[in-house]
């Protein structure tokens, strides 16, 4: 049985992505490409984490591969991935009709709401390392969580004004639902129009799940990972330190100061931490300490990003 | 008079917050109208709530406040007038009262002649009052977590406001809040009705109008509809029952505007997983009700409460979706279960070093080491007192108690910690005593929960909780006011409940538990002991329903042996209604007062009662009768036959009554006086071992 009725075939994985991107582009969102540094969630991309700061309105959408090494299952679990793909939509300030827009986007991908049971259940979001949190819901469709919907309240430990609406679609979940398959690996990613051959999610990604699970659980060299962490951290700290001279910089220097570079280094640290964690290499005493170190970097970057923005604004 | 209706529409309110917000809005609106003289006390009102709205209806609201005339009293005539000429004081008062100086009056008070003025305050239209007062009430509603949503952040609320409706009779009242002005428009069910505005004509039509728009606004009606639907759908399977779960009924009631129920099924192969796991997945993760057969065994079905209604084809689609999700969840659980079996609990002990208990108290490995010692000390005391306990099984249970925290299943379903450990212990061939103790270690999790089934489980549960309390107190992290972030009160309530309610009496006192947890640190032991005693008081009142004064009286006579305190409280409650007991209690209070007054005047009672100094017949009688009774009461107390002991004490009534009728205690003769005080001291001492009766509140 088809979960979406018999009228037309369910969208392929890529058609799902196209349709949602088209939908949000039509709402004025700039379509950004995925961020090319490892992140644990779409929220950590600078297109969310940094753009939500400050007064400047933002409408942006992007598909973000998100890596969570500890969630790897060697490709053996039909519902869990080391790397999954989120579609992230950021609307700052959130339009009054944001919930209705979201529901329209579901209609756009072929979900007739009158044929389904949809609920918005409280689910607040928090990323302590980034000093970020918001309130919102998990959106449940016939018992399946398909979206995290969050009103971002704080980021980098700073209150947001205006606040920001964040919609995060779990693309694999939704595709599995639309196509009514029990394993993520059976999702049809694309269909060749001339031959009718179906390319599946497994064909495209299973090897990666197997190998990266093995890497993060069995192969990753713990002492090397520590070295990476220390190196990325010290470079990030050095940038944070140089940012103390913002007041003395002329506007060109200020504009070119690599806050974004500092953020990439902080994200690298976060990912290395996740690898060490998956590898079982973080002891009790270390865990609290390392989290605090990464928080210093991430929150530090958010602050200098805000400061840079303000100084540039007042210089104009 | 007109009916009033106010509705505030919101994006979905968290289910857990709806009931209290609904009650608070009703209470605030009615109290505001009463304060503003727009309704009379006890006016009829009704509240409504769904995930997307809170509403209140009030029966009879005046259209206008009555004018009120107040009599204001000012300065004294002497100050207000000098030689018949008004002073600045008189002018200032007249201005404040809003009257001319010439219309000031003179009133006579016990303190003399004062000037006064009658000031009339014009009543306002109800609509104007509501417009100015209601927004303040809305802003003051308490939310466990709220948010900013508008740029410039003028207000915080639980979720963005989407509309408001306010009607006084047929007229809209323009209440402003959160960027909206109330009108007479509401909205129906998001999907079944769509976002067409619905005009409300009269407050009394609210519920019916919404009903036509696929919204059941009355929470009780919705709850009833859900229960009936659960019953009806379950009946489609022979001899099946849905598993009663009041909390879950409440949650789904607050998640739906137009509920209906479907039954789904899953493959019987999943029934091989432990029932606890299946039920947790269904209840906590999917908000599904479990179904059982007539023997109470889990059946391969579940019930989902929908926020919609659909025809057969539509229901089939929704059922299929829900079954798909549940199957995936069960698959995950089975995967974790099988994966976890690769590492035994014993091998997981080492991994506990990597799991933080609390940053200053170290890892769960460190906690385990402490709890082992603590549990072994308590077990020693239990064995010393000739009670049954298997120390080997206990130690095994304590050593492995926390190892399930490293299992994938517990990482996924944290609410199953302990239970998973117990299940794994059994699967891995540990003794039933150890497995049961591990399984029960977090019990009781609330006042309603049951206590561990075995002595080993009870000792483990207490040791674990006592270690947490002692550790946190040692760091100065005691609960304060409403703040108890580490749930220490709950832990202490648990210890008290375990001591009070295990099947076999556990011969341990609160002091022993506190001392075992705090070691040599006496100051800390004292603090923890005091904290446990405070929870005993709470337990007697809340769980046992004992009256405040009974609890105070009983604890004044000893607060260390929990079971004994419960027994004494129950005995006191059983006899307190009798006239004799009440009279004796009142007399004891009188004795205590006399002794206290004597102490204040530094008049010491004699060391003991000298028979030779007893002058009056009634004091001789009291001395004689009380010493006879004392022996009997002491032996009844030793047998813990508290009710009989109390009834014996009550028989002292004729003697105490006669004593107070005929004897003056504080006579001038020092020797007689000291002897009478000695008699009272002795009577109080002999009969206050069960409870300090002077604390009992008696009528008259």
């Amino acid at each position: 049985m088809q979960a979406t009725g018999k009228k037309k075939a369910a969208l392929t994985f890529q058609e799902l992505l196209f349709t949602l991107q088209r939908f949000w582009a039509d709402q004025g969102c700039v379509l950004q490409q995925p961020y090319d540094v490892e992140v644990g969630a779409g929220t950590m991309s600078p297109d969310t984490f940094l753009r939500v700061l400050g007064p400047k309105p933002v409408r942006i959408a992007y598909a973000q591969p998100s890596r969570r090494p500890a969630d790897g299952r060697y490709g053996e679990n039909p519902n869990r991935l080391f790397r999954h793909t989120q579609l992230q939509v950021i609307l700052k300030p959130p339009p009054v009709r944001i919930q209705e827009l979201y529901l329209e986007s579901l209609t756009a991908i072929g979900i007739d709401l009158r044929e389904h049971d949809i609920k918005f259940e409280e689910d607040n979001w928090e990323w302590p390392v980034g000093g970020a949190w918001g309130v919102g819901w998990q959106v449940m469709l016939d018992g399946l969580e398909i979206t995290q919907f969050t009103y971002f309240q704080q980021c980098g430990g700073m209150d947001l004004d205006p606040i920001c609406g964040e919609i995060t679609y779990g693309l694999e979940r939704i595709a599995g639902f639309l196509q009514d398959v029990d394993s993520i690996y059976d999702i049809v990613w694309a269909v060749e129009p001339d031959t009718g051959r179906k390319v599946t999610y497994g064909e495209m990604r299973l090897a990666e799940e197997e190998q990266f699970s093995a890497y993060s659980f069995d192969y990753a060299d713990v002492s090397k990972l520590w070295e990476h962490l220390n190196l990325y951290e010290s470079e990030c700290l050095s940038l944070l330190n140089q940012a103390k001279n913002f007041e003395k910089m002329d506007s060109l220097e200020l504009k070119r100061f690599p806050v974004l570079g500092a953020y990439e280094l902080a994200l690298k640290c976060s990912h290395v931490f996740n690898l060490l964690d998956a590898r079982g290499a973080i002891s009790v005493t270390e865990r609290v300490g390392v989290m605090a170190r990464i928080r210093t970097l991430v929150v530090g970057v958010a602050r200098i990003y805000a400061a840079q923005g303000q100084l540039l604004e007042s210089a104009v | 008079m007109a009916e009033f209706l106010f509705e505030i529409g919101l994006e979905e309110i968290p289910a857990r917050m709806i009931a209290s917000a609904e009650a608070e809005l009703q209470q605030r609106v009615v109290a505001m109208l009463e304060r503003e003289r727009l309704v009379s006390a006890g006016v009829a009102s009704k509240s409504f709530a769904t995930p997307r709205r809170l509403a209140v209806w009030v029966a009879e609201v005046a259209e206008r406040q009555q004018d009120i005339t107040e009599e204001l009293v000012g300065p004294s005539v002497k100050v207000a007038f000098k030689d018949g000429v008004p002073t600045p004081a008189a002018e200032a008062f007249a201005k404040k009262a809003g009257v001319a100086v010439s219309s000031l009056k003179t009133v006579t008070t016990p303190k003399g002649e004062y000037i006064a003025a009658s000031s009339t305050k014009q009543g306002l239209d109800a609509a104007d009052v509501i417009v100015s007062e209601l927004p303040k009430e809305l802003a003051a509603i308490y939310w466990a977590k709220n948010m900013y949503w508008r740029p410039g952040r003028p207000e915080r609320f639980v979720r963005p406001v989407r509309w408001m409706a306010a009607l006084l009779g047929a007229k809209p009242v323009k209440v402003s809040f959160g960027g909206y002005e109330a009108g007479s428009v509401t909205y129906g069910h998001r999907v079944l009705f769509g976002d067409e505005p619905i005009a409300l004509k009269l407050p009394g039509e609210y519920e019916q109008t919404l009903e036509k728009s696929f919204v059941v606004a009355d929470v009780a009606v919705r709850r009833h509809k859900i229960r009936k639907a659960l019953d009806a759908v379950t009946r489609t399977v022979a001899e099946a029952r849905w598993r009663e779960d009041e909390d879950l009924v409440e949650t789904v009631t607050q998640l739906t505007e137009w509920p209906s129920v479907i039954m789904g099924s899953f493959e019987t192969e999943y029934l091989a997983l432990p029932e606890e796991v299946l039920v947790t997945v269904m209840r906590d993760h999917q908000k599904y009700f479990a179904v059982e057969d007539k023997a109470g065994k889990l059946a391969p079905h579940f019930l989902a409460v929908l926020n919609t209604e659909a025809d057969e084809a539509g229901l089939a689609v929704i059922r299929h979706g829900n079954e798909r999700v549940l199957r995936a969840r069960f698959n995950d659980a089975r995967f974790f279960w099988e994966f976890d079996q690769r590492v035994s609990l014993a091998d997981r002990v080492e991994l506990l070093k990597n799991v933080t208990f609390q940053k200053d108290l170290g890892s769960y490995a460190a906690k385990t080491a402490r709890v082992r010692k603590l549990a072994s000390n308590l077990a020693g005391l239990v064995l010393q007192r000739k009670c049954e306990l298997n120390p080997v099984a206990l130690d095994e249970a304590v050593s492995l108690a926390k190892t399930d925290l490293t299992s994938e299943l517990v990482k996924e379903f944290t609410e199953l910690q302990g239970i998973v450990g117990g299940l794994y212990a059994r699967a891995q061939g540990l003794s039933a005593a150890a497995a049961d103790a591990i399984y029960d270690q977090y019990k009781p999790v609330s006042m309603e929960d049951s206590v561990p089934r075995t002595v080993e489980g009870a000792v483990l549960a207490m040791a674990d909780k006592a270690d947490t309390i002692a550790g946190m107190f040692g760091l100065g992290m005691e609960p304060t006011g409403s703040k108890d972030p580490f749930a220490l009160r709950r832990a202490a309530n648990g210890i008290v409940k375990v001591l009070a309610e295990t099947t076999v009496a556990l011969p341990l006192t609160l002091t022993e538990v506190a001392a075992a947890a705090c070691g040599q640190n006496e100051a800390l032991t004292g603090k923890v002991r005091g904290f446990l005693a405070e929870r005993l008081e709470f337990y007697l009142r809340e769980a046992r329903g004992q009256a405040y004064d009974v609890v105070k009286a009983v604890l004044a006579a000893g607060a260390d042996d929990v079971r004994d305190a419960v027994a004494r409280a129950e005995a006191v409650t059983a006899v307190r209604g009798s006239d004799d007991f009440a009279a004796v209690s009142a007399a004891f209070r009188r004795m205590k007062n006399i002794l206290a007054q004597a102490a204040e005047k530094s008049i010491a009672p004699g060391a003991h009662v000298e028979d030779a100094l007893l002058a009056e017949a009634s004091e001789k009688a009291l001395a004689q009768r009380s010493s006879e009774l004392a022996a009997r009461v002491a032996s009844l107390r030793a047998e813990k036959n508290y009710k009989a002991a109390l009834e014996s004490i009550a028989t002292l009534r004729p003697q105490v009554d006669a004593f107070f009728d005929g004897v003056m205690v504080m006579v001038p003769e020092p020797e007689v006086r000291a002897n009478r005080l000695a008699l009272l001291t002795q009577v109080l001492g002999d009969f206050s071992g069960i409870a300090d009766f002077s604390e009992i509140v008696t009528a008259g």
Side-chain angles (χ1 to χ4, degrees):
Chain A
M1 185 178 9
Q2 285 281 316
T4 50
K6 293 117 212 137
K7 282 150 273 175
K8 56 180 183 181
L11 300 180
T12 62
F13 189 67
Q14 66 190 29
E15 284 165 348
L16 168 64
L17 179 55
F18 296 156
T19 309
L20 286 173
Q21 286 185 327
R22 176 88 248 167
F23 178 89
W24 288 107
D26 289 345
Q27 303 304 324
C29 284
V30 171
L31 293 184
Q32 174 65 296
Q33 297 305 309
Y35 191 52
D36 54 350
V37 167
E38 306 92 331
V39 291
T43 306
M44 294 161 74
S45 158
D47 282 319
T48 294
F49 188 77
L50 296 178
R51 285 186 197 275
V52 297
L53 298 166
K56 200 173 162 191
V58 176
R59 287 189 206 171
I60 199 165
Y62 53 92
Q64 183 62 49
S66 303
R67 296 188 188 211
R68 293 177 187 168
D71 279 357
R73 291 292 180 270
Y74 298 92
E76 288 176 11
N77 185 305
N79 309 306
R80 195 166 297 236
L81 297 168
F82 130 85
R83 200 187 83 161
H84 67 288
T85 318
Q86 300 179 330
L87 181 75
Q88 176 86 351
V89 180
I90 287 296
L91 300 166
K92 173 176 107 178
V96 170
R97 294 189 66 250
I98 185 167
Q99 267 191 320
E100 280 75 19
L101 281 176
Y102 166 72
L103 293 171
E104 283 169 26
S105 78
L106 297 184
T107 306
I109 55 173
I111 298 171
D112 182 344
L113 295 175
R114 283 161 310 179
E115 289 178 4
H116 294 279
D117 175 42
I118 190 151
K119 298 193 192 89
F120 286 73
E121 299 181 6
E122 181 193 17
D123 191 18
N124 303 319
W125 175 85
E126 188 181 22
W127 184 35
V129 166
W133 65 273
V135 304
W137 309 276
Q138 48 179 345
V139 184
M140 307 296 285
L141 184 66
D142 295 350
L144 177 71
E145 181 191 349
I146 53 168
T147 302
Q148 173 69 42
F149 192 129
T150 308
Y151 287 110
F152 244 64
Q153 298 285 298
Q154 254 201 357
C155 189
M158 292 173 280
D159 286 344
L160 302 183
D161 189 13
I163 63 138
C164 164
E166 178 202 52
I167 298 172
T168 303
Y169 299 83
L171 291 180
E172 288 87 355
R173 288 261 183 101
I174 297 173
F177 174 86
L178 293 175
Q179 298 180 18
D180 193 27
V181 292
D182 286 331
S183 166
I184 290 170
Y185 298 107
D186 295 337
I187 290 169
V188 178
W189 190 304
V191 179
E192 290 176 5
D194 50 345
T195 65
R197 189 176 91 84
K198 288 176 179 168
V199 181
T200 64
Y201 193 92
E203 197 176 335
M204 297 307 296
R205 294 216 51 256
L206 180 58
E208 187 187 341
E209 286 293 322
E210 290 167 340
Q211 294 187 16
F212 276 91
S213 295
Y215 177 71
S216 25
F217 292 129
D218 311 316
Y219 285 85
D221 182 324
V222 171
S223 62
K224 286 280 192 314
L225 288 175
W226 280 118
E227 279 178 48
H228 292 160
L229 183 67
N230 294 339
L231 288 171
Y232 290 135
E233 181 193 32
S234 71
E235 191 174 358
C236 184
L237 282 173
S238 150
L239 288 173
L240 289 177
N241 200 36
Q242 291 172 64
K244 287 180 185 149
N245 296 323
F246 273 175
E247 301 285 350
K248 293 179 203 143
M249 291 181 189
D250 64 37
S251 65
L252 187 63
E253 270 180 299
L254 182 66
K255 195 169 75 179
R256 289 181 175 174
F257 186 84
V259 174
L260 298 172
Y263 188 56
E264 284 202 2
L265 292 163
L267 288 178
K268 290 274 185 195
C269 288
S270 173
H271 180 63
V272 174
F273 172 83
N274 289 339
L275 279 172
L276 282 163
D277 199 27
R279 199 78 179 77
I282 308 244
S283 74
V284 169
T285 27
E286 279 162 338
R287 167 174 287 276
V288 180
V290 181
M291 301 264 283
R293 278 163 64 186
I294 298 173
R295 186 185 152 90
T296 303
L297 305 181
V298 175
V299 171
V301 171
R303 288 187 194 287
I304 65 169
Y305 179 86
Q308 186 185 40
Q310 255 169 24
L311 287 169
L312 286 171
E313 183 87 356
S314 56
V316 172
Chain B
M1 291 289 179
E3 288 180 311
F4 176 62
L5 174 82
F6 176 73
E7 180 195 50
I8 183 164
L10 300 159
E11 295 181 10
E12 278 79 351
I13 311 166
R16 66 190 166 107
M17 302 180 193
I18 294 177
S20 63
E22 177 190 2
E24 187 177 343
L25 178 67
Q26 178 181 20
Q27 183 269 328
R28 284 185 176 279
V29 167
V30 172
M32 179 272 287
L33 293 172
E34 204 180 314
R35 184 179 74 228
E36 297 296 333
R37 309 187 308 281
L38 290 169
V39 297
S40 41
V43 66
S45 66
K46 187 166 163 48
S47 62
F48 302 92
T50 78
R52 297 178 72 211
R53 70 198 77 228
L54 298 172
V56 53
W57 165 91
V58 185
E60 293 181 299
V61 179
E63 269 148 58
R64 199 180 161 78
Q65 291 173 322
Q66 298 247 310
D67 295 349
I68 45 167
T69 306
E70 286 177 306
E71 187 90 332
L72 298 173
V73 178
S76 69
V77 172
K78 263 189 249 163
V79 173
F81 291 95
K82 284 275 180 303
D83 308 323
V85 181
T87 63
E91 280 159 15
F93 172 67
K95 196 174 166 201
K96 193 179 121 207
V99 299
V101 175
S102 57
S103 57
L104 290 174
K105 303 178 293 190
T106 303
V107 290
T108 307
T109 77
K111 287 186 283 175
E113 301 271 295
Y114 281 76
I115 58 164
S118 298
S119 155
T120 301
K121 230 162 107 186
Q122 286 246 305
L124 298 171
D125 276 344
D128 292 338
V129 174
I130 292 168
V131 164
S132 85
E133 296 302 312
L134 189 51
K136 295 180 215 162
E137 302 296 331
L138 290 173
I141 290 177
Y142 169 79
W143 299 104
K145 198 172 185 87
N146 55 23
M147 63 176 283
Y148 292 114
W149 79 95
R150 291 200 294 157
R153 309 196 297 242
E155 68 279 291
R156 299 181 79 184
F157 216 61
V158 64
R159 288 291 184 274
V161 177
R162 298 306 307 279
W163 76 82
M164 282 188 297
L167 285 180
L168 191 59
K171 272 188 238 143
V173 183
K174 294 183 173 177
V175 176
S176 283
F177 184 74
Y180 285 85
E181 187 173 271
S184 54
V185 161
T186 185
Y187 292 87
H189 187 280
R190 195 199 281 290
V191 173
L192 294 172
F193 191 82
D195 42 16
E196 278 294 300
I198 302 161
L200 285 167
K201 294 197 182 67
L202 287 169
E205 294 172 5
Y206 178 71
E207 202 173 345
Q208 290 68 32
T209 305
L210 282 183
E211 174 95 22
K212 285 182 213 142
S213 326
F214 303 97
V215 173
V216 180
D218 185 322
V219 176
V221 173
R222 221 159 56 236
R223 186 187 300 119
H224 183 66
K225 190 177 167 189
I226 289 172
R227 282 189 171 277
K228 271 178 60 180
L230 287 168
D231 288 340
V233 174
T234 308
R235 272 198 295 277
T236 58
V237 173
E239 301 193 310
R241 276 189 307 233
W242 59 277
R243 217 168 252 195
E244 174 58 45
D245 189 332
E246 211 175 308
D247 291 346
L248 188 56
V249 170
E250 220 40 54
T251 302
V252 294
T253 301
Q254 302 295 20
L255 276 173
T256 51
E257 296 206 302
W258 191 256
S260 60
V261 173
I262 54 163
M263 178 182 276
S265 304
F266 53 85
E267 290 74 11
T268 47
E269 63 186 81
Y270 293 112
L271 291 173
L273 281 167
E275 192 177 303
E276 294 87 341
V277 174
L278 297 173
V279 172
T280 301
V281 171
M282 288 192 274
R283 181 190 57 212
D284 296 7
H285 294 248
Q286 294 298 134
K287 301 187 173 73
Y288 297 159
F289 291 85
V291 177
E292 56 186 28
D293 62 20
K294 66 172 173 181
K297 268 194 62 187
L298 222 53
H301 308 289
F302 66 93
L303 299 163
V305 178
L306 314 178
N307 183 31
T308 189
E309 66 176 20
D311 57 17
E312 273 309 309
L315 288 179
V317 170
I318 296 172
R319 180 181 302 116
H320 177 75
N322 280 277
E323 285 173 345
R324 211 181 135 269
V325 179
L326 188 61
R327 194 179 308 124
R329 288 269 190 189
F330 281 169
N331 264 331
D332 276 349
R334 183 164 59 188
F335 177 87
F336 295 139
W337 176 272
E338 283 164 6
F339 186 85
D340 285 341
Q341 300 306 327
R342 299 182 200 177
V343 183
S344 70
L345 292 184
D347 287 342
R348 290 179 185 275
V349 170
E350 187 63 23
L351 303 177
L352 286 180
K353 289 182 184 158
N354 293 330
V355 186
T356 314
F357 166 57
Q358 200 276 339
K359 73 176 164 53
D360 298 306
L361 298 173
S363 68
Y364 271 98
K367 182 173 179 52
T368 299
R370 289 194 305 268
V371 177
R372 272 183 86 175
K373 206 169 143 220
L374 210 178
S376 144
N377 287 341
L378 294 179
L381 291 170
V382 171
L383 289 167
Q384 235 174 55
R385 289 160 194 171
K386 308 271 183 278
C387 289
E388 296 244 349
L389 184 145
N390 178 344
V392 178
L394 173 62
D395 191 55
E396 190 172 30
V398 179
S399 313
L400 302 178
K402 303 299 176 189
T403 53
D404 71 353
L405 295 175
T406 68
S407 72
E408 295 301 319
L409 200 59
V410 170
K411 283 183 203 160
E412 187 72 5
F413 305 110
T414 47
E415 55 274 65
L416 283 177
Q417 55 184 303
I419 291 170
V420 165
L423 294 170
Y424 285 172
R426 185 158 305 159
Q428 293 168 17
L430 269 72
S431 71
D436 288 350
I438 294 172
Y439 188 99
D440 289 347
Q441 63 178 300
Y442 294 100
K443 283 181 160 286
V445 293
S446 67
M447 290 299 263
E448 292 75 37
D449 193 18
S450 59
V451 301
R453 293 160 289 173
T454 61
V455 177
E456 292 79 15
V459 172
L460 168 54
M462 279 200 298
D464 181 27
K465 291 171 175 68
D467 172 72
T468 302
I469 295 169
M472 291 299 182
F473 271 57
L475 295 172
M477 295 185 189
E478 297 147 39
T480 49
S482 62
K483 287 207 183 78
D484 185 14
F486 307 103
L488 300 183
R489 288 197 187 105
R490 194 170 71 191
N493 288 341
I495 292 175
V496 170
K497 195 174 158 88
V498 167
L499 286 172
E501 297 180 17
T502 42
T503 1
V504 189
L506 259 183
L508 294 168
T509 66
L510 295 181
T511 304
E512 284 166 349
V513 173
C518 302
Q520 305 299 317
N521 189 336
E522 277 177 30
L524 186 59
T525 305
K527 264 195 198 167
V528 171
R529 201 215 151 271
F531 182 62
L532 293 175
E534 202 180 279
R535 299 331 291 169
L536 170 57
E537 186 179 337
F538 174 80
Y539 174 80
L540 288 170
R541 290 217 312 270
E542 298 300 317
R544 295 286 175 153
Q546 299 291 343
Y548 185 83
D549 60 332
V550 170
V551 173
K552 237 179 132 189
V554 163
L555 295 186
D560 217 21
D561 183 336
V562 170
R563 254 186 152 85
D564 192 56
V566 172
R568 287 185 283 125
E570 282 171 356
V572 172
T573 299
V575 302
R576 75 173 299 186
S578 84
D579 286 348
D580 287 350
F581 185 77
V584 171
S585 294
F588 278 26
R589 187 161 57 245
R590 213 163 145 191
M591 294 178 201
K592 207 174 171 188
N593 286 339
I594 292 170
L595 289 170
Q597 283 160 13
E600 250 172 55
K601 292 180 197 151
S602 304
I603 303 172
H608 46 84
V609 182
E610 303 267 3
D611 288 344
L613 287 168
L614 294 170
E616 310 280 339
S618 56
E619 63 178 322
K620 282 180 187 160
L622 177 61
Q624 196 196 337
R625 181 72 186 134
S626 69
S627 66
E628 281 163 22
L629 267 182
R632 178 139 168 258
V633 166
S635 85
L636 287 168
R637 255 177 64 198
E639 294 162 20
K640 298 199 182 280
N641 194 348
Y642 296 132
K643 191 157 167 269
L646 293 172
E647 281 160 357
S648 286
I649 295 171
T651 63
L652 201 56
R653 181 181 180 181
Q655 287 77 29
V656 290
D657 282 353
F659 177 83
F660 280 118
D661 284 345
V663 180
M664 169 87 168
V665 178
M666 301 302 273
V667 289
E669 301 88 331
E671 286 190 326
V672 176
R673 189 175 61 196
N675 198 50
R676 285 177 182 164
L677 289 171
L679 176 60
L680 299 187
T681 307
Q682 184 186 310
V683 169
L684 282 176
D686 285 345
F687 301 116
S688 297
I690 297 172
D692 176 352
F693 306 115
S694 63
E695 296 284 358
I696 300 288
V697 178
T698 48

